[in-house]
Structure formats: C-alpha cells, structure tokens
Amino acid sequence: MPFSKDDQQQYKALYLQTAREYVKILQENLTKLNSGNETADVIDTLHRDSHSLKGQSEMMGYHSIGVLALLMEDIFRNKKEKNLILTPEIVNQMSQGVQEIAVSLDQIDKVNKELDLYEITEKLKSLAKIPD
C-alpha cells in the first residue's frame, strides 16, 4: 500500500537518494552487459536492485517507475532461470529505461511528479516477450 501524501513528502528525500543509488548501480551493470561482461554476479545485482527500486517506488506511489523496475526484475529473473537470452536490443532498451527513470527522479525532485514511462516499458516488454 503506498504512503499517504504526508508520508510521501516526509520520505521523499530519502527515496530520491536511494533510488539514485540504484539507478547508478543499474547503469554501471548494464554497461558491463553491453561490453560482454555477463556474469552471474552482474545479473544478480541487476535483479536485486531492480527489485528494490520497484518496491520503494511503489511504496512511495511512483507507479510508472515501479512498473518499469518490475519488468526489469522479471527480465533478470527469467535470465537467471535461463528462460531468456539478453539480446543487445533488450539491454539497450533497459539502459534507455534506466536513463528515463533518472530523468523521472529529477522531475519528482523538482515538481513532485514522475514521468509517464508507459511507452518505454511497453517497448521493453515487447522486446523481451514478457507477458502481461
């Protein structure tokens, strides 16, 4: 259940700080994937951090970020379970998605409103063939 507006304001700075840390780690590890450094540790880190970002975002009421982070979590879980091959197109789309999340966090910080990430989420879902 998301926080109330009062709680959201109280925890906004902490949320932004930790979410930006997750974004940085996601970006670093997606760069490793792009350079061919796909290890179990990299996949585990990407899975864990997308899961954490999803949970925090949903708790704060930032549903668009939460949905994209959930999709990324699902992709990495499927990768860990050997049900998905991470193509360069999927990895590039995730990198773009994480960049959009970073922009959305700046919007939350400035005007208290996240970006609509529906389009990038749907494109990633289509590339990864993740069902609804």
Side-chain angles (χ1 to χ4, degrees):
M1 181 171 183
F3 284 152
S4 68
K5 289 292 181 190
D6 288 341
D7 286 340
Q8 189 182 48
Q9 283 306 112
Q10 180 179 350
Y11 292 105
K12 180 177 151 183
L14 178 60
Y15 165 76
L16 289 170
Q17 177 187 349
T18 58
R20 285 178 172 136
E21 289 171 15
Y22 289 129
V23 163
K24 181 180 180 214
I25 293 167
L26 289 167
Q27 287 172 327
E28 289 169 356
N29 283 283
L30 286 167
T31 298
K32 288 178 184 178
L33 286 182
N34 269 330
S35 66
N37 188 10
E38 184 181 301
T39 66
D41 285 343
V42 168
I43 299 300
D44 285 343
T45 298
L46 286 161
H47 180 251
R48 182 185 60 246
D49 287 354
S50 57
H51 170 80
S52 297
L53 180 60
K54 172 207 66 180
Q56 288 183 357
S57 298
E58 289 292 346
M59 182 63 76
M60 289 293 291
Y62 301 126
H63 185 67
S64 194
I65 294 172
V67 168
L68 180 52
L70 171 62
L71 176 58
M72 292 185 352
E73 176 188 5
D74 288 346
I75 288 169
F76 294 120
R77 186 186 69 253
N78 276 284
K79 173 60 181 166
K80 287 171 66 166
E81 295 171 354
K82 300 186 181 355
N83 296 326
L84 177 72
I85 295 171
L86 290 176
T87 65
E89 294 82 13
I90 293 171
V91 175
N92 286 335
Q93 188 67 32
M94 282 192 288
S95 294
Q96 289 177 13
V98 171
Q99 291 217 288
E100 287 296 311
I101 290 171
V103 172
S104 191
L105 294 172
D106 289 342
Q107 284 295 108
I108 291 167
D109 195 13
K110 291 176 187 164
V111 296
N112 213 30
K113 186 171 178 0
E114 69 177 324
L115 296 179
D116 180 356
L117 302 174
Y118 176 81
E119 189 174 313
I120 199 155
T121 300
E122 288 301 307
K123 186 171 182 186
L124 180 57
K125 189 184 301 182
S126 174
L127 283 171
K129 297 177 177 51
I130 301 291
D132 288 329

